[in-house]
Every structure is written in C-alpha cells, then in structure tokens.
Amino acid sequence: MTTSLSQFAEVLDYDEALAKFDPVLGLEVHVELNTNTKMFCGCSTVFGAEPNTQVCPVCLGLPGALPVLNATGLESAIRIGLALNCSIAQWCRFARKNYFYPDMPKNFQTSQYDEPIAFDGYLDVELEDGETFRVQIERAHMEEDTGKSLHIGGSTGRIQGAEYSLVDYNRAGIPLIEIVTKPITGAGERAPEVARAYVAALRELLKALKVSDVKMEQGSMRCDVNASLRIRAQDQDAVKLGTRTETKNVNSLRSVERAVKYEISRQAAVLVDGGTITQETRHWHEDTGITTSGRPKSDADDYRYFPEPDLVPIAPDTAWVEELRGTLPEPPALRRRRLQGEWGFSDKEMRDLYNAGAVELVESTVAAGASPAAARKWWTGELARLANLAEKPLAEMPVTPAQIAQLQALVDGGKLTDTLARQALEGVLAGEGDPEQVVEKRGLVVVSDDGALGEAVDRAIEANPGIADKIRAGKVQAAGALIGAVMKEMRGKADAARVRELVIERLAPDTDA
Amino acid sequence: MSDLTRRTAAELSGLLASGEVSAVEVARAHLDRIAAVDGDVHAFLHTATESALADAAAVDAARAAGEQLPTLAGVPIAVKDVMTTQGQPTTAGSKMLEGWVPPYDATVVKNLRQARLVLLGKTNMDEFAMGSSTEHSAYGPTRNPWDLNRIPGGSGGGSAAALAAFEAPLATGTDTGGSIRQPASVTGTVGVKPTYGAVSRYGLIAMASSLDQAGPCARTVLDAALLHEVMAGHDPLDSTSLKDGYPDVVAAAREGARNGIAGLKIGVIRELHGGDGGYQAGVLARFDESLELLTKAGAEIVEVSCPSFTSALAAYYLIMPSEASSNLAKFDAMRYGLRVGPQGVEAPSAEQVMAATRAAGFGDEVKRRIILGTYALSSGYYDAYYGSAQKVRTLIQRDFAAAFAQADVLVSPTSPTTAFQLGAKLDDPLSMYLQDVATIPANLAGVPGMSLPSGLADEDGLPAGIQLLAPAQADDRLYRVGAALESLLNDGWGGSILDKAPKTLEATK
C-alpha cells in the first residue's frame, strides 16, 4: 500500500474547503446487464463460475471470430435511456476503443464513442431532507466488459510483487451500460450527499427496470467519481472548471460519499498550498477512507476510436422504442409517494425508510399481511439495529418479509410479547426456521395463567417492599418496576398487560388502571 | 483415369455422380499431383492427406448407400490458410500463428464440409493477406506454374497456383483489394469477389473487416459459380452478412454460355483503360480484343467515367491499414500463437513480451501497415486521413451508381501487368500496391467483381485478365457475361487457356 500517514495531514478541513471552493462532480456508473448471454456471443453470464468456463471463440477474440449484438442487451439499453429521460438515437454505431491490456482479448474494447444509444437526459434525486436535485445525464452507452486479471504470489493481490498473473475471461464480453452525468454543479457543500443520492437513485431505478443485479459489492454496478474544484466567486458559472481527478471503482454508496468528501478536502489542501491538481486516475481505499494516485490520465489518451466495421449500425424502429417506453415501471420516486399515501407515513418516516433501503422490504411485508406501521417498525427498528451490528445491507439479512409478517401476526394474536418476538426473530436469523417453528423449538409461549403469574407477582412485591408501598400510596406509575421484575423472572414470557392488572388488583384495587 | 487432375469441377461432379470414378480416386490423383509438383510450386502450407482420403471414402460410402449428395460432393478443394479449419493448422501465412490449430471452422469451411467437398489442405498466402505476390508469406513464396521465376499474384497466390498447376480443381480465396482477382489474372484462372456480405466472414482471419470478402477460385466460370453457390448464404454469426439477395449464379453461368449476351450494355471505365501509363501493352491488347468479341456477340459497348477511382488507391491505403492495425492487435502473445521473451530481461512485463513477440512474429509488410494504420487513426490525424478516405469511399460508391445507370456491367483489365519476376517489386511497396489499382474500387464500394483470362500477352506469353464488375447483389450478371466471354475466347483458342501453359512442371519431374 502506498498510503502514508502524512497524507492525512494533506487535507483541508471540509467546511474550510467549501468556504473557498465550489466542487464540480461527474459520475460515471458502469452497470452489468443481467442478460442470459454476453453482449456479442451466446456465452453464459452467470456470476462466479469456474474461471474460463464461459468462453467461446468470440469472447476470447480468437482469430476470425466476429461479434453479433445481443438483442436483449440493446433493449435494456434503450429502456435505461428512456427511464433516464434521454433521447434515443435513431441511428448509431459501435466503435473500437483501441488499447492494450492482457485481460482484453482483442486489445480493443467494442464500445460506443460519439454515437451513444441514449443521450441528453436527467434523473431527479431526492436528498435526505426531502429536497430534489436534478442531475443531468450526458449519455448512456453500450459496451462490453473485459476479463479479470488475478495476480498470484504477492501479499496485496496487486500486480506489484506478484509472481505471475492469471486471466479469467468469463467476464469478458458481459454487456455493460455506462451512464455518464454532465458536470454536476451547484451542489456546494452537499456534493457528497448528492453523489450518494444519485447513485442510490440510479440503483433503485435500474432495479425497478429489472435490467441488472446492481450489486456494487460484486461489481455488477461500479462507480467512477470525477471531482474538481473552482474558486468561489460571485458569478460561479463564469469560473472555469478546475482540473479533475477520476477515482475508479468506488463500490458502495457510503464510499461514493466519502470519496467525494475526501477528494474535495484533498484538492483544496493542494490548491490552498499553491499547488496544482494533476489530471489522473486515483484509487479509493475503503479501509483508510483516502484516495491515492493511480496513473496519469490526460485528454490526449489516444484510443484511436473508429466505427466498428464488424457490426452493422443500429437503427431502432421508432414504434419499437415507443413500445419499450410502455414497458417502463412506475418511476421509483412516484411510486414512493404513492406508497407513502397508502401507508399514511410522514415525509420523514418515508425518507428514513428510503435511506435505509427498506421501501421494498416494507412493501413486501405489508403484502404478506402486516400493517404498514408494524412493518416499518420491524425494518427500521430491530432489523436495522441488527443489520448495523452485522455490517450488512438490510436487504441481505437472512429473513424474508413473509417471516416478518408472520412474526407480527403472532404478536397481534397475543401469542408473543414484543420481547418474545425479538427472541423469535433471533432464531429466524440463526436459521432455525420460520417464526412458528422457532416459537415451538424455543418454547417461546406467553404465560397468561393467573396462577403462575400471581405467584410471580407476589414474589416481586415481597422483594420490592418500597415500590409496593408507593403503589399502595397511589403512585400507580411505579407499577412498571414490578412488571419489569416479573418479566425478568419469567424471561419475557409473561403477558405484560395481565401482569399489570394483577399488580394493581393486589396493591391498589380502587384505582382504575 | 490418368487425367483426373485436368478435369473441371463440373466434369468431376458428373463422373462422381455416374459412378465412373470414386471420390477416393479423385482425391488420390490430386494428392499425388501435389506430391509431384508442389515442391516447385509451393502452393500448399499444409496437405491434409489422411483426412482428405477419409472424407472422400465417406462420400463414396454415402453414395453407395444411395444417399442424395450435393453437386460438388467428393470434389477436392484447396482452402486459403486465412480461413480457420478445426483440427488443421491455420497460420494466415504468419510466424505469429505457426502451429496454431483452431478449435472451430470458419462458416465457409463449414459450408464446404456440409456440401461434402474434400479438403486437400491449406494454401500459401501473403502474411495476413497483405501483398500482391505471395512473397510476403513467412513460409516462403509460391511460384507461378506458367514460369517458376515469377510471382503467382497475391495474397491468394497459393490458391491460384494450385489451380494453375492442376493440384486442385477448386480453391477458396479472400479479396480485400484484389487478392482473388489479381492472382486469377496472372495465373490464367477465374476468381470472383462476391458482393460484400454475400459470403460469411466468420472464421476469416481479418485484415480489413469492411473490405474483406471471401470468394471462389476456379479454372472455369461455371466451376466458380458452383463453388460460389456453396460458399454464399446468410450467416447469423456475421452481423454484416446479407439476409437476402442471393441470385442463382449457376443458372446465370449456364445461361451465359448457352445464349450469349445480346442486348447487354457493357461499360468501359475510362480511368482504368490504361490512359496514364503503367499498363502493359499486351494486357491492353487482349482487353480490347475481348471487347471486340463481346461487340460481335451483340453487346453494346459504352464508355463510362468514374473520376474518383483515381483516388481509390490512396483511400484504400488509409482505410485498410487502419482496420488492420486494430484487427492485428489481438496477436499479443497472451493466449495463443508465438511467444518470445525479450533478450536479457530478467522478469519481463506483459508489454515487453508483447513487443518482443510482435517484433519477431510480424513481417516487414505487416509492420508497415500496422504503423500506417495506427498513424492514420491517431487523434489529430483521424479527420485528415481516415475521415477523408471514408469520404472518397462515398464518392466511389456514387461513381459506381452513376456508371451502372449507363451499363449493366463494367469492364477493365484486372491487373495492369502480367506476372512479374520474383523479387522485382519486393523493395518497392508502392509499385506493388499499384497492382491492385483496378480491383480496389470494387472493395471500397462492396460491389462484386470477377477476373477471367483474356489471353496471353504478346511480350511475355503470360496470361492477362479481364475484370467484370456488377452492382451489389447482382453477382449473377458477372457469371452470365463471364461465361459468354469465356466461351467466345475458348472458341478462338481452341480450348482452355491453361492448355497453352508451357509444360514447366512436367519438365522438372
């Protein structure tokens, strides 16, 4: 690792940086499409197969092999373009991007250059306070993914220090859509938040379109963050854009936000120091939260683009494009608003749900029979807490919305107390089965038998004479402590409401509890 | 039957169908001929003796079992080494691919196998099809059977020489700027570049994708048509493959030979009629005689002008190397073929291995074109070179459209000269490039072209060729006119022109 502690000192305090500079962002998101076959051949695209088992002469770039465009890939590209409010090209082509790399079979990437399938769109992004920020989309274009190099023998897995390298071409030729924003200006101090919210909104949209797995941790969605600073001025738009850096492959929403924030602070420190920003690619380090210098990149990088002669031009029929427009799902933002109305949640409740990535989970839980309020409580309460402890996205917790609905039904039916329900959830998460099975196995049954409860109440009164006296004196709210003691003794299995009644019956029979 | 190698494919087809000869006999006769003369000619890079005899035996067995077989079943064929053959080496004439055995068949090869032709082996060619003399093969030049000190044309010199030396009755070729037609012209054989997209490019080791076109090589127009029919057809594996517009070329060839060409308008391209020198007198004389024969047979000759043809060569030498530089980038020592470590480097990087391999594996002409193409595509030069060349290409297409509005087919000499001496132009790339001045426009426009023998030049007694051009997807016109002219010429010569070849090969045996 090339990071050093000294680099931490080379950043400017974020607020200070923002006082002096205006950040401008550009986000490039690569999305792997979930087509069954690759972009230009019939090979399978299943993730995680044995290396080099999903290859053929075409995606290996063997001499003589030729590409043929995947029709589903084109359809997905057009649907993405339409969902991003883009214009769809009436005629466009693929181009060859020529450069050398061992994991690129042909030593050129078949991509789109000056003729993207979709261009000039926008995506409205909701921020945490409910404000909407419009991100302009420059283009969405099709290309193929490259293979993957594995560097063996070194300590870091990087090429430096490795003894040899292996290449896996399973990924070579998987369809990619690259979505490029226009320069994002005017976000000011909220630039990191806007970046995160944009990627989150894009992910939500692509998920709704069902065109990609959008798994950032598996690389099926990858984000490159371009950032630059310009001096604060009266007329900000009159100030020339600063030199940008491109931080490659930032692979979580949180990292997108952190990387933007770090680059703003770092670039500000350099500029305040009288230095200049070099145009370069940078690496993001999840563990230390910093970026380090990669390879210099200039506008003069010469990819010698020219129209791909092995593929005929694409001229999507207008009627077909309109037909595809008809297949677009309800836009996620509108859908959220509709659900909010149906569920009767406040703006803040709905935003929290969205930011927690729980809208769909709640929706499914409600569909499985739970009330919206109960579903929300589970997902933003206990489950959010557990997910946080496990450092996992909510959606990856090993419990289904149907199981949560079942759990809630047990509570509603008086079979479980809240405490018991949490214990039952623990069992579900531990893989012990559905809530009913866990209840059975663990013997999590509410005790409402007056005999057993009465004895426990008596024992609690005996053990806490002071509290008992207070209640006798009319301080009924002190009953909580006794109820707690009973619950503790019964290990949460007691019906709390009945315990309360028994306590009051014994100590303050005249009071209306 | 001792003269099996002198038979046309059409004749062999008849003999095989009637059971007069077996496919094994035919294959063995050609394999014997190869063994006898190919030491001198060097038309083949690989002879598939065993598999050829096995394939032939399978055809005989199928016929014996009463199976209905395709017309050319059991007829031998030689395959240009630029087409991938599963289980047989494919080198494209380059050291880069020495010993490489592809795991898959080119679509053309698959079509040949389905039609039950017997694959004799792979023919020599200029490295990656770059050249007009087959002298740029990494495995040594092929020699012209008419005169072993002369070139057989290029890049398909191996295929043309195999036909002229009677080593095979049919062969395949690829034509990017004339690599089927010019070798046909200088060996006294017939070669056709079909309409772009009519024959699949899948499995053809690419030189310049937008220009490359596979086609038939034969000794007669009818034989070329029979092979054309087998090679052509839509291929879902090639995005640029035509979906429709495959006229019946065999019927057209038969019709032309039978009924002639009365009423047909034939356009002579002014710019390709030797006005500005470079054309050999004997070549022009035979060309003009051919026009007279056509006129006598009832065709009308008109002169057409294609002014942008004068820029065709320049445009071609920008587009072709541009695409080639990109197509050849895959030869990087990583996955297959040659790998050479750099001298004196302890732990070479991928880039160093790539550079050392390419330095060792590519010949001079290939390096020359890669550098030309890389330069022409580089930013800052793209518009001036590649961009301008594409504009010229559009102009050439317009010239063709205008010319075809005045004539049914266009004609010119195929090559400005007869076969030159081996080594004569090796150090002068430009004069080598000029060999293709008349053939290149067809590739830039995607229209079909044919070369057939027009006679022997008076100066050297070597074959000259006449080129016929037709509009895209009107390949049948070439066969109709070609067959008519062939029969007129054969009447005059008293047989095939190849019968007039000096017996150089027999003399040496």
Side-chain angles (χ1 to χ4, degrees):
Chain A
M1 187 103 61
T2 53
T3 61
S4 70
L5 273 178
S6 71
Q7 276 170 296
F8 287 101
E10 289 168 9
V11 299
L12 201 63
D13 173 76
Y14 185 69
D15 291 332
E16 216 179 308
L18 261 301
K20 294 189 166 71
F21 301 101
D22 176 42
V24 177
L25 303 181
L27 299 168
E28 294 171 19
V29 175
H30 284 89
V31 183
E32 271 185 7
L33 297 181
N34 58 5
T35 51
N36 294 325
T37 55
K38 292 185 178 181
M39 194 63 147
F40 299 118
C41 66
C43 285
S44 165
T45 54
V46 173
F47 181 80
E50 281 286 300
N52 296 312
T53 54
Q54 301 185 154
V55 293
C56 73
V58 175
C59 58
L60 284 177
L62 291 189
L66 294 173
V68 176
L69 179 60
N70 182 331
T72 311
L74 172 63
E75 186 178 304
S76 297
I78 292 175
R79 291 179 71 235
I80 289 170
L82 291 171
L84 289 171
N85 305 293
C86 287
S87 302
I88 303 300
Q90 293 185 320
W91 192 90
C92 66
R93 279 182 297 196
F94 277 97
R96 289 187 185 179
K97 183 179 182 181
N98 292 284
Y99 63 102
F100 288 90
Y101 209 75
D103 65 15
M104 200 166 57
K106 297 169 291 187
N107 283 322
F108 61 77
Q109 185 183 24
T110 306
S111 178
Q112 289 194 300
Y113 174 51
D114 50 356
E115 299 169 303
I117 183 73
F119 52 94
D120 286 348
Y122 62 86
L123 181 62
D124 283 332
V125 171
E126 234 172 282
L127 302 182
E128 289 197 17
D129 63 359
E131 207 178 291
T132 298
F133 191 97
R134 178 164 287 192
V135 174
Q136 302 288 342
I137 306 290
E138 167 90 34
R139 59 191 283 153
H141 71 249
M142 299 179 275
E143 59 185 35
E144 58 180 342
D145 213 339
T146 61
K148 214 158 72 180
S149 297
L150 304 159
H151 306 293
I152 312 295
S155 56
T156 59
R158 287 174 187 258
I159 195 164
Q160 289 80 11
E163 280 168 41
Y164 60 96
S165 301
L166 299 173
V167 189
D168 176 8
Y169 292 103
N170 281 353
R171 202 179 67 182
I174 287 191
L176 282 184
I177 301 294
E178 183 175 349
I179 300 161
V180 182
T181 67
K182 289 184 179 160
I184 301 170
T185 58
E189 59 179 357
R190 302 185 75 173
E193 191 197 338
V194 166
R196 179 200 172 113
Y198 166 73
V199 178
L202 194 56
R203 197 173 65 169
E204 193 187 22
L205 181 69
L206 296 166
K207 208 168 168 185
L209 285 166
K210 296 189 169 68
V211 293
S212 169
D213 300 337
V214 287
K215 288 186 177 156
M216 293 188 83
E217 66 290 351
Q218 280 185 6
S220 65
M221 182 169 175
R222 316 194 275 271
C223 183
D224 297 342
V225 174
N226 289 276
S228 67
L229 297 182
R230 47 183 183 178
I231 305 262
R232 282 247 171 247
Q234 204 80 43
D235 181 5
Q236 195 64 73
D237 288 339
V239 182
K240 220 170 73 173
L241 296 184
T243 304
R244 70 190 159 87
T245 62
E246 182 180 4
T247 305
K248 304 289 278 184
N249 292 326
V250 187
N251 67 353
S252 76
L253 292 180
R254 189 164 158 263
S255 297
V256 168
E257 187 166 3
R258 290 167 75 206
V260 169
K261 198 163 178 180
Y262 179 83
E263 268 304 284
I264 290 173
S265 300
R266 185 191 70 83
Q267 291 186 15
V270 172
L271 294 172
V272 162
D273 224 29
T276 50
I277 302 298
T278 341
Q279 187 171 342
E280 60 183 0
T281 64
R282 296 187 68 85
H283 301 300
W284 167 248
H285 302 279
E286 181 72 47
D287 44 356
T288 48
I290 68 166
T291 67
T292 54
S293 182
R295 85 190 151 83
K297 186 177 185 174
S298 69
D299 287 330
D301 267 346
D302 193 349
Y303 293 118
R304 304 190 311 283
Y305 283 103
F306 73 104
E308 165 60 276
D310 284 333
L311 287 165
V312 287
I314 302 159
D317 183 58
T318 316
W320 180 54
V321 171
E322 287 317 304
E323 199 182 305
L324 291 180
R325 197 189 295 279
T327 70
L328 296 184
E330 185 182 8
L334 287 184
R335 181 167 154 272
R336 276 204 309 280
R337 228 159 288 149
R338 174 175 59 77
L339 289 173
Q340 185 184 350
E342 286 171 19
W343 295 342
F345 290 173
S346 71
D347 287 353
K348 182 174 184 310
E349 283 170 339
M350 201 62 199
R351 254 196 327 275
D352 288 348
L353 220 54
Y354 170 60
N355 289 331
V359 175
E360 277 183 12
L361 295 167
V362 167
E363 193 185 18
S364 306
T365 309
V366 170
S371 72
R376 186 181 70 81
K377 209 177 101 201
W378 277 112
W379 289 105
T380 58
E382 184 64 5
L383 277 162
R385 188 180 69 82
L386 293 171
N388 199 28
L389 280 177
E391 293 185 341
K392 266 188 180 175
L394 206 51
E396 279 179 30
M397 294 298 281
V399 58
T400 64
Q403 287 171 327
I404 296 299
Q406 211 183 101
L407 204 54
Q408 183 59 36
L410 292 172
V411 174
D412 292 343
K415 293 200 177 131
L416 289 181
T417 62
D418 283 354
T419 313
L420 285 178
R422 279 200 287 278
Q423 288 177 27
L425 173 61
E426 205 179 287
V428 174
L429 293 174
E432 292 168 23
D434 283 337
E436 305 235 17
Q437 288 167 293
V438 176
V439 165
E440 176 102 354
K441 274 185 216 160
R442 293 195 172 189
L444 301 175
V445 187
V446 173
V447 178
S448 50
D449 167 26
D450 279 3
L453 289 180
E455 281 168 31
V457 168
D458 291 342
R459 276 195 294 277
I461 293 172
E462 206 172 311
N464 300 282
I467 296 170
D469 284 344
K470 276 185 191 167
I471 300 170
R472 286 194 190 95
K475 283 201 167 178
V476 178
Q477 57 269 44
L482 287 184
I483 298 167
V486 172
M487 293 303 274
K488 195 174 172 191
E489 191 190 325
M490 307 287 293
R491 284 199 221 105
K493 290 187 196 173
D495 179 340
R498 185 64 196 140
V499 172
R500 185 182 173 82
E501 282 168 18
L502 289 174
V503 167
I504 292 179
E505 230 170 70
R506 277 168 170 67
L507 298 177
D510 298 336
T511 314
D512 272 342
Chain B
M1 217 174 273
S2 62
D3 62 345
L4 282 177
T5 61
R6 292 265 161 179
R7 304 288 194 159
T8 67
E11 287 166 356
L12 288 172
S13 165
L15 292 171
L16 286 161
S18 65
E20 279 173 75
V21 296
S22 70
V24 169
E25 283 176 85
V26 175
R28 189 159 280 143
H30 286 92
L31 291 166
D32 288 349
R33 174 74 181 167
I34 293 169
V37 303
D38 208 53
D40 290 327
V41 180
H42 194 221
F44 285 84
L45 291 177
H46 171 77
T47 312
T49 309
E50 275 178 35
S51 69
L53 289 172
D55 290 350
V59 168
D60 288 335
R63 205 182 298 275
E67 246 181 76
Q68 275 296 314
L69 294 177
T71 312
L72 292 180
V75 174
I77 188 163
V79 176
K80 190 176 180 182
D81 203 35
V82 77
M83 296 170 175
T84 59
T85 40
Q86 190 169 359
Q88 284 183 33
T90 301
T91 67
S94 179
K95 283 277 180 235
M96 211 51 141
L97 281 173
E98 189 161 16
W100 183 60
V101 179
Y104 74 110
D105 272 336
T107 297
V108 167
V109 172
K110 205 191 286 173
N111 291 347
L112 297 178
R113 290 194 206 269
Q114 249 160 33
R116 307 296 292 267
L117 280 94
V118 173
L119 274 58
L120 293 172
K122 306 299 286 291
T123 57
N124 198 12
M125 57 185 284
D126 284 299
E127 184 178 2
F128 289 112
M130 296 179 186
S132 303
S133 67
T134 314
E135 293 169 288
H136 293 302
S137 166
Y139 304 98
T142 296
R143 291 164 183 272
N144 191 324
W146 288 76
D147 176 349
L148 293 175
N149 292 315
R150 291 181 188 260
I151 59 104
S155 65
S159 285
L163 296 171
F166 298 98
E167 294 171 274
L170 294 172
T172 63
T174 56
D175 188 313
T176 306
S179 289
I180 289 176
R181 290 163 287 162
Q182 181 255 0
S185 177
V186 299
T187 56
T189 58
V190 177
V192 178
K193 180 202 98 70
T195 297
Y196 182 76
V199 176
S200 171
R201 287 188 296 115
Y202 189 79
L204 269 49
I205 298 176
M207 168 160 68
S209 310
S210 75
L211 303 162
D212 292 348
Q213 183 56 57
C217 308
R219 288 193 293 258
T220 70
V221 173
L222 176 61
D223 278 7
L226 289 167
L227 179 54
H228 186 125
E229 194 176 45
V230 171
M231 294 174 78
H234 176 64
D235 180 11
L237 295 179
D238 176 357
S239 164
T240 60
S241 166
L242 291 174
K243 290 207 167 58
D244 52 19
Y246 295 95
D248 188 340
V249 292
V250 174
R254 294 215 159 99
E255 152 94 12
R258 230 180 7 247
N259 296 333
I261 44 165
L264 211 78
K265 268 193 183 171
I266 294 174
V268 177
I269 304 165
R270 187 188 300 152
E271 289 75 11
L272 299 178
H273 200 179
D276 52 358
Y279 282 78
Q280 200 175 312
V283 169
L284 285 176
R286 294 296 87 80
F287 175 70
D288 290 337
E289 277 171 23
S290 297
L291 293 183
E292 277 171 42
L293 282 176
L294 290 167
T295 313
K296 275 186 200 153
E300 185 190 342
I301 307 290
V302 294
E303 194 187 52
V304 299
S305 178
C306 296
S308 58
F309 282 21
T310 50
S311 307
L313 195 70
Y316 177 81
Y317 276 95
L318 290 168
I319 293 169
M320 174 273 293
S322 294
E323 293 186 15
S325 71
S326 174
N327 281 331
L328 295 187
K330 64 177 57 166
F331 299 101
D332 62 0
M334 290 297 142
R335 290 162 293 270
Y336 45 79
L338 188 70
R339 178 178 292 182
V340 176
Q343 289 281 314
V345 182
E346 187 66 28
S349 66
E351 284 80 3
Q352 286 170 319
V353 172
M354 207 185 289
T357 302
R358 290 164 68 96
F362 284 145
D364 288 347
E365 183 61 24
V366 173
K367 286 175 186 162
R368 177 153 44 230
R369 296 197 193 187
I370 289 173
I371 290 167
L372 265 172
T374 305
Y375 186 76
L377 285 178
S378 57
S379 74
Y381 297 100
Y382 180 93
D383 290 337
Y385 295 126
Y386 184 85
S388 306
Q390 289 290 17
K391 283 177 193 151
V392 170
R393 195 172 184 169
T394 306
L395 294 177
I396 287 169
Q397 285 162 353
R398 281 188 202 154
D399 276 1
F400 266 119
F404 284 124
Q406 298 168 63
D408 300 299
V409 293
L410 306 179
V411 292
S412 78
T414 308
S415 179
T417 67
T418 56
F420 49 87
Q421 298 277 342
L422 284 163
K425 295 181 193 285
L426 214 42
D427 297 323
D428 186 359
L430 260 179
S431 90
M432 180 86 87
Y433 297 166
L434 279 166
Q435 282 291 303
D436 297 330
V437 69
T439 48
I440 278 170
N443 299 83
L444 288 170
V447 304
M450 170 188 279
S451 176
L452 71 155
S454 60
L456 304 179
D458 303 318
E459 307 88 356
D460 47 25
L462 292 169
I466 177 170
Q467 173 179 238
L468 311 175
L469 300 166
Q473 296 180 294
D475 304 53
D476 52 337
R477 288 189 207 168
L478 301 179
Y479 287 96
R480 188 171 156 219
V481 179
L485 178 58
E486 179 184 56
S487 106
L488 295 171
L489 287 163
N490 283 358
D491 286 349
W493 303 328
S496 161
I497 195 161
L498 280 170
D499 296 337
K500 305 216 173 304
K503 301 285 182 270
T504 50
L505 299 173
E506 277 70 9
T508 61
K509 287 297 122 187

